[in-house]
Amino acid sequence: MKNIAILSMMYTGILIITSLSSLQAQNTNNMEPTMPENNIFPKDQRGSADYFTGTVWVTPLLDKDSVNNFSIGNVEFETGARANWHTHPRGQVLIVTDGQGFYQEKEKPAQVIKKGDVINIPPNVEHWHGASANSSLVHIAITNFENNEYVTWLAPVTDLEFNEANQTK
Ligand code: MN
């Protein structure tokens, strides 16, 4: 009888420990920010808080010149970070090189974007791009110019808008 009681206590203990460690594993998956580990380009400058929410790293790769009417930059969004809503007068192409996040046009559902995706953004369409709530995102941005203009910055993506995007499967 005594042995059964001890065995039963041990069994309960094992159950509790197992449940706790599986909870911990879940938390690690959901909560811990993921950082890009195999960066192609070095981090250069912090994206301005005037145009970005969260931690964003911008590395200019190529300036517009007399031949190329566009600039190229690498943008790294840490987990939860995103650009403000904005437009490009002559459009923009994104090439996702790491992680997963979102591209959303105003009044449309957000789209999941991930490593290997190429996004062709039309001129003058209000949109944002950035990381997701549990993954970082790295993309190359090729941005066309109209005279000396390439972007018009608008309002930040609110937490409500960002959370809604994160419901996208
Ligand atoms: Mn853009």
Side-chain angles (χ1 to χ4, degrees), residues 98-142:
D98 201 10
Q100 184 169 310
F102 299 102
Y103 166 70
Q104 184 174 24
E105 296 180 356
K106 199 79 177 175
E107 313 299 342
K108 291 187 184 174
Q111 298 171 41
V112 173
I113 60 174
K114 59 185 188 309
K115 182 176 179 175
D117 288 347
V118 178
I119 300 102
N120 194 359
I121 304 170
N124 297 313
V125 168
E126 186 173 345
H127 69 276
W128 67 272
H129 26 108
S132 77
N134 51 23
S135 175
S136 56
L137 178 82
V138 186
H139 68 52
I140 294 168
I142 303 167

Side-chain angles (χ1 to χ4, degrees), residues 64 68-71 87-91 123-124 143-152:
K64 161 179 147 24
N68 301 308
N69 200 32
F70 54 80
S71 65
T87 61
H88 306 288
R90 300 296 294 159
N124 297 313
T143 312
N144 299 308
F145 278 67
E146 183 172 70
N147 303 315
N148 286 317
E149 304 300 320
Y150 66 97
V151 63
T152 301

Side-chain angles (χ1 to χ4, degrees), residues 2-15:
K2 196 178 167 192
N3 282 348
I4 289 171
I6 288 167
L7 275 176
S8 151
M9 275 167 63
M10 280 172 65
Y11 182 66
T12 310
I14 288 165
L15 272 185

